[in-house]
Amino acid sequence: MAVIADLAIQGIQMLLVLCLAPALTGFVRKVKARLLRRRGPSILQPYRDLWRLMRKEVVLAENASWLFRAIPYLIFSATWVAAALVPTFATGLLFSWSADLIAVTALLGSTRFFLALAGMDVGTSFGGIGSSREVMIATLAEPAMIMIVFTLALLAGSTQLSSLAGFMLTSPVGLRVSLGLALIALVMVAVAENGRIPIDNPATHLELTMVHEAMLLEYSGRHLALIELAASLKLLLYVSLIGCVFLPWGLSPPGADVSTRLVGVGAYGLKLAAGGFLLAFFETTVAKMRVFRVPEFLGAALMLGLLGTLLLFVSRSL
């Protein structure tokens, strides 16, 4: 009976991230529109867009290979698994042993690799440009993410997300310079990985600056719907990751009763709303930077992560 209950809670976690991901995207768009004194689309608009795309016929390029058709399913599956591994409302779930920060990073790296392949598969110039820019961003974002993982692992003694959240909750962590540097670096990596302003603008198709959208121009129908849903899942994953590691308050412990679980779900909803609002506010206050300045932005994230790691080698109290 206990195993069935654990499976049910794990299933709820997987469905929760899948159902909330489009809502988070819609919430960010709505807040941005309101901050710009526009009415903006409904929060439910991403659900309508996904439903519309799912009902449309798939149109494939003549020279598209089988890989081009398979990649949307691979990207969606890997991103959903990665998002479901991050603790949202509870720790110590059935599959928490596999919820490792390195595993999540590897899954996200795999999706980027597949997306870059898809951009080059049909041989269009826009797809090639988008893939090359995506790989350029990855060469700096992934080392920065590894430095953040090192910082957290040195501090908590583990890269498992449930252990990290438990360490932040139960141990006298306090305010540490290394944690502050890791948080800023993680936010910068999250902005870059999700193709948000100032790195990329998901709402434009300007060929001189677009990165993520350039690789999707040949996709349509359910293939495009899966990739768009995976992009929403990725945004939710990073907000959940920041909330789990740096703001773990409200997470229900293993074996908690139903009321504690519901409190965890409410706290998770508040974290998503706060993260979405801060992202929308940030995007309305900064401008899109030139592609050639992206390495400077991610280089700063890499240096912050490295500095956090080095500080812990000097003194564990920093």
Side-chain angles (χ1 to χ4, degrees):
M1 192 65 185
V3 175
I4 295 176
D6 291 341
L7 277 174
I9 295 173
Q10 184 70 61
I12 291 172
Q13 154 104 349
M14 296 187 70
L15 290 177
L16 187 68
V17 296
L18 185 64
C19 295
L20 288 180
L24 178 61
T25 302
F27 179 73
V28 173
R29 292 175 184 170
K30 185 70 175 181
V31 173
K32 281 180 66 177
R34 299 302 295 176
L35 289 174
L36 295 172
R37 299 192 176 187
R38 292 189 286 108
R39 187 173 181 179
S42 167
I43 294 177
L44 301 179
Q45 188 60 42
Y47 295 99
R48 298 182 187 129
D49 293 340
L50 291 174
W51 177 245
R52 175 175 52 83
L53 287 172
M54 290 296 288
R55 290 185 300 167
K56 281 194 170 183
E57 181 185 1
V58 174
V59 179
L60 293 171
E62 290 183 358
N63 51 346
S65 69
W66 63 270
L67 193 62
F68 187 80
R69 296 188 294 272
I71 278 176
Y73 300 97
L74 294 173
I75 291 175
F76 170 72
S77 304
T79 310
W80 189 16
V81 170
L85 286 178
V86 179
T88 56
F89 66 93
T91 58
L93 297 183
L94 188 62
F95 296 143
S96 61
W97 57 270
S98 59
D100 192 277
L101 201 48
I102 296 177
V104 172
T105 306
L107 283 171
L108 294 179
S110 302
T111 62
R112 181 188 299 106
F113 171 72
F114 289 134
L115 191 57
L117 280 184
M120 294 185 292
D121 186 80
V122 293
T124 62
S125 57
F126 283 161
I129 291 172
S131 297
S132 63
R133 289 174 178 172
E134 181 76 8
V135 173
M136 179 197 71
I137 292 172
T139 54
L140 290 170
E142 289 187 356
M145 189 67 190
I146 293 298
M147 286 297 109
I148 297 166
V149 173
F150 283 166
T151 303
L152 296 174
L154 284 173
L155 200 59
S158 173
T159 55
Q160 194 183 51
L161 288 169
S162 290
S163 300
L164 279 171
F167 174 81
M168 295 293 181
L169 277 174
T170 58
S171 299
V173 180
L175 295 176
R176 292 170 180 263
V177 179
S178 56
L179 273 181
L181 296 175
L183 174 60
I184 297 172
L186 181 57
V187 171
M188 296 172 75
V189 170
V191 168
E193 291 280 20
N194 286 283
R196 310 297 306 194
I197 298 174
I199 300 299
D200 193 8
N201 188 355
T204 183
H205 286 78
L206 184 62
E207 63 271 16
L208 292 177
T209 59
M210 62 182 176
V211 180
H212 181 75
E213 297 298 322
M215 296 179 287
L216 310 182
L217 290 178
E218 298 298 325
Y219 275 115
S220 60
R222 63 178 181 278
H223 291 163
L224 183 58
L226 287 173
I227 294 177
E228 293 291 345
L229 183 54
S232 297
L233 280 168
K234 193 174 182 181
L235 177 62
L236 180 135
L237 183 154
Y238 274 98
V239 176
S240 302
L241 187 62
I242 293 171
C244 167
V245 176
F246 295 97
L247 304 168
W249 304 289
L251 284 172
S252 60
D257 54 13
V258 177
S259 59
T260 309
R261 302 279 192 197
L262 291 177
V263 170
V265 173
Y268 178 60
L270 290 176
K271 291 175 190 174
L272 284 184
F277 178 82
L278 291 175
L279 175 61
F281 180 77
F282 176 72
E283 288 190 330
T284 54
T285 55
V286 298
K288 168 81 173 61
M289 66 172 57
R290 293 189 304 168
V291 175
F292 298 109
R293 291 192 60 192
V294 172
E296 299 175 12
F297 181 87
L298 287 173
L302 176 61
M303 287 299 106
L304 289 174
L306 180 61
L307 188 58
T309 305
L310 293 177
L311 282 178
L312 288 176
F313 275 114
V314 175
S315 172
R316 290 304 175 95
S317 61
L318 290 175

